[in-house]
Amino acid sequence: MDQKWIQILVILMFYQKIASGADLNKAVKEGGSIDIECQPPTTTHTIMWFRALDNSGMEFIISVSSSGLEKSKRSDYSDIFSKGTQSKQTVKSFKKSRDSGLYGCAALVGSELKFGKITRLLGETKKDTTEAPLTKPPNNQSATKTTCDCNKNKKPEPATPPLLCSILILAPLAGGCGLLLLLLIITAVYCNRKSYIHLQSLI
């Protein structure tokens, strides 16, 4: 099967897998480096890595052979990731707006997809503490610094779902449609081959 078809099929199946949520959550500092580990339950010649970002959608990262050879990768792979292996990828300099989301890998074993554990990367929120300016004390008293806890009056932010509800609904449908399309193509090729052999036998 063509590499592009395999990637599309894995993406569709990955959507169904991530609907149940991540196996592991990791909080990452802005600009920090983070290792993501993933190993499908069955070893195979090629493992493909994907991510589903909070701000956009699904992205193919890289496919790596068992010998560590990079078979295909995204164009900006070297800008975001360090050279990885089949079971580990490293985000060089984490950016919350660019890299927050779900990361995972998959292996195609025969006609079955095997997925490893999914990791969710979350950007750490910075604690915002500001100091109040010094005021001139009355009656020649010594000046004291007072700190202002500005987070005290802030309302807690509502928790946002990891993915939009529409994606969770449409992902299984898209996966099913993709599989039906693949079966239709295989059936059409098979039937054309049979009719060609039958015509040859008549001639």
Side-chain angles (χ1 to χ4, degrees):
M1 193 184 291
D2 185 67
Q3 185 77 9
K4 290 289 180 188
W5 276 105
I6 293 171
Q7 289 175 10
I8 291 167
L9 190 59
V10 171
I11 286 173
L12 291 171
M13 297 301 288
F14 189 63
Y15 259 125
Q16 291 179 330
K17 167 77 174 166
I18 64 176
S20 59
D23 300 308
L24 178 66
N25 292 324
K26 287 187 177 183
V28 191
K29 288 182 181 177
E30 189 75 14
S33 174
I34 182 73
D35 292 335
I36 309 155
E37 294 185 1
C38 176
Q39 185 68 51
T42 307
T43 55
T44 184
H45 181 66
T46 302
I47 289 180
M48 287 172 276
W49 281 79
F50 297 88
R51 65 181 186 173
L53 300 176
D54 292 343
N55 296 334
S56 53
M58 286 291 300
E59 289 183 356
F60 169 75
I61 298 173
I62 192 169
S63 60
V64 185
S65 69
S66 55
S67 61
L69 181 69
E70 297 172 354
K71 298 184 89 175
S72 65
K73 60 184 176 182
R74 54 185 292 142
S75 58
D76 59 349
Y77 176 84
S78 301
D79 299 333
I80 303 170
F81 299 93
S82 300
K83 183 172 172 58
T85 64
Q86 267 198 337
S87 59
K88 186 174 82 172
Q89 294 295 318
T90 304
V91 178
K92 287 196 290 192
S93 178
F94 181 84
K95 292 181 182 175
K96 185 177 179 180
S97 59
R98 180 194 68 186
D99 301 317
S100 292
L102 298 164
Y103 290 73
C105 65
L108 186 63
V109 182
S111 60
E112 190 177 356
L113 280 168
K114 302 280 187 181
F115 289 91
K117 289 187 176 180
I118 295 172
T119 303
R120 175 178 254 304
L121 297 186
L122 302 163
E124 285 185 349
T125 53
K126 292 182 181 178
K127 292 182 179 177
D128 186 26
T129 56
T130 55
E131 292 184 352
L134 288 173
T135 55
K136 188 175 180 181
N139 303 328
N140 294 327
Q141 292 177 354
S142 60
T144 57
K145 270 187 180 179
T146 58
T147 58
C148 170
D149 186 7
C150 299
N151 290 327
K152 186 169 65 176
N153 297 328
K154 281 188 180 177
K155 293 180 181 177
E157 294 181 7
T160 55
L163 291 171
L164 297 173
C165 292
S166 59
I167 292 176
L168 294 177
I169 294 167
L170 293 175
L173 292 174
C177 290
L179 287 173
L180 287 174
L181 178 63
L182 189 62
L183 287 171
L184 183 63
I185 292 169
I186 292 169
T187 306
V189 170
Y190 178 79
C191 290
N192 283 342
R193 183 181 171 88
K194 283 287 187 188
S195 61
Y196 177 77
I197 292 169
H198 181 67
L199 285 172
Q200 288 291 329
S201 64
L202 291 174
I203 296 170

